[in-house]
Each structure stands twice: as structure tokens, then as C-alpha cells.
Amino acid sequence: CSADPGECPGTVIGLMRKFCMEIGTKGLSTGVLTALVSSGVDTPAQLYTLDAAWLSQLTMPGEQRIGETRAASIIREMASKAEMTLGELLGAVGIPGCAKSVMEAVAARFPDPDSLLTIDEAELTTVPGVGPTRAASIAAFLDTRYRDVLQPLLEVVSIRRTNGPLSGKSFCITLAMASGSRPQVEARIRAAGGTVKSSVGRDLSFLVCNSPNEAT
């Protein structure tokens, strides 16, 4: 494999798999990602612009087509992950030696995505938990991979600010609510710094159901 992920399918599949795992998508198995990379989808940002009809016709290892049902599910999954904090985004792109917690600290110190283009190693070492080795790794990634990995992601992902009364809290809304339509309630949650999830998971803070006075 070349050191450039763009020239090594195995490395690209691994990085794409890490991205999907970090943001919590379902259905994007190694087989699906192998089919995608073989068809020219080799950056995380491209996962957000897939065409369902095209995707359904791809063949995974073993000659099994992805199919319409799985393709539609993947499209929905990616749409549900189109908003995240800058720390979550940076933690998902596979910067060597830098866990999500490290990148969240970097994002807290440099909250403006545009500033990522001008950060140097000396500035990065001022971030708690980022020593010279990690600073060099982050700087190298931003220098060589910003335009082909991060910049396209910033064009398709909405960066959610982390400040607000609901910061750090996640919500899953399952039924109609008396206080407004589901999109309206989700917008209020996001505006207050919370995260809206499409399904119940281990990291869910609140499951929001309908009012007890409403029909189920």
C-alpha cells in the first residue's frame, strides 16, 4: 500500500469504516464500503451524496447486490448523521494517534473550522492532551488531507455548536408531541445545543414520547 490513502483501497476502506463507526451509522458494512470504494466513492463526504438507485445496483464481495431496501436504509442513515460538532467530525476522520476526546479538545480551542487551515504545531501543543507527537500528526493531516477529506465534509455536514443548555445531551423523538411538530421540536433541541438521534442507543440521554394525554 502507498502512504497515500487515495492510492490504497484497503487503507481507504479502513478509514471509511472508522468514519462510519465513529459517527454511528448502520448498514455500512465492510462489504458495502468495499463495493463503494471499488466504484470510486473514496471519501467520507461522498457517502452523503449517494444516489439510492445507483447504490442499490452495486455488487458486494460474494456477488450479492446491495439492493433497494439496504440502499434506502443507508441513504436515511447518512441523512441522520448530517449534523455533528466539529470535535465529532475531527474525531471521525482518522487522524493517526488522536482519539475523539483529543479532537474535541482541539475543537474547543479552535471552534472555527476555517482556522484549521492556519493552525501550526506550536498552537496545537497548547491544547490539553496534545503533546508534540499528536500536534505533529494533526498538523500533517491538516496540511495534506484538509482539502480532499475535511473541506468536502464541511460542505455537506452542518457543524453544531456545543454551547447551550442541552449541550452534551442526545434525544430520540418517537411520537407526535403537543408542543409542536417533530421537526419543530428537533430544531429547538439543536438550537439549544442538543443532538437528535434517529434511534435508541447506549449513548442516548432522553427518549421523548408523546404526551400522556394524547392518543398513542
Side-chain angles (χ1 to χ4, degrees):
C1 283
S2 164
D4 181 356
E7 298 179 5
C8 177
T11 301
V12 176
I13 292 167
L15 292 174
M16 296 276 273
R17 181 66 177 153
K18 174 178 172 56
F19 180 83
C20 293
M21 291 178 64
E22 289 291 340
I23 66 172
T25 58
K26 301 174 184 176
L28 282 150
S29 64
T30 300
V32 171
L33 291 173
T34 299
L36 285 168
V37 172
S38 298
S39 300
V41 177
D42 57 5
T43 65
Q46 291 173 282
L47 297 175
Y48 289 92
T49 59
L50 296 173
D51 176 76
W54 175 82
L55 178 60
S56 69
Q57 297 302 313
L58 293 186
T59 302
M60 297 180 289
E63 304 301 317
Q64 179 185 3
R65 283 198 308 114
I66 290 176
E68 294 180 1
T69 300
R70 181 178 293 185
S73 177
I74 290 171
I75 298 297
R76 288 194 300 270
E77 273 292 299
M78 294 311 303
S80 75
K81 307 298 181 182
E83 180 183 78
M84 64 187 77
T85 67
L86 181 59
E88 290 170 336
L89 182 63
L90 293 175
V93 295
I95 300 177
C98 298
K100 178 182 175 181
S101 58
V102 173
M103 299 317 300
E104 287 177 336
V106 171
R109 173 69 173 79
F110 304 100
D112 182 1
D114 291 338
S115 68
L116 297 175
L117 279 172
T118 58
I119 297 174
D120 59 29
E121 289 185 39
E123 289 178 295
L124 286 167
T125 57
T126 66
V127 178
V130 179
T133 300
R134 283 175 174 163
S137 181
I138 295 168
F141 185 93
L142 294 175
D143 182 53
T144 61
R145 307 293 285 164
Y146 179 89
R147 286 181 172 80
D148 64 339
V149 175
L150 273 178
Q151 191 170 48
L153 276 169
L154 290 169
E155 292 174 358
V156 295
V157 172
S158 298
I159 298 300
R160 176 172 50 79
R161 302 298 177 182
T162 56
N163 58 327
L166 299 182
S167 295
K169 305 298 183 182
S170 59
F171 299 77
C172 177
I173 301 174
T174 60
L175 296 171
M177 301 179 66
S179 56
S181 68
R182 183 181 300 187
Q184 290 173 329
V185 174
E186 290 178 350
R188 292 175 197 157
I189 290 171
R190 293 187 180 102
T195 301
V196 177
K197 294 184 174 292
S198 60
S199 60
V200 176
R202 288 187 305 170
D203 57 347
L204 184 69
S205 303
F206 298 98
L207 175 62
V208 183
C209 300
N210 63 315
S211 166
N213 297 321
E214 293 180 343
T216 57

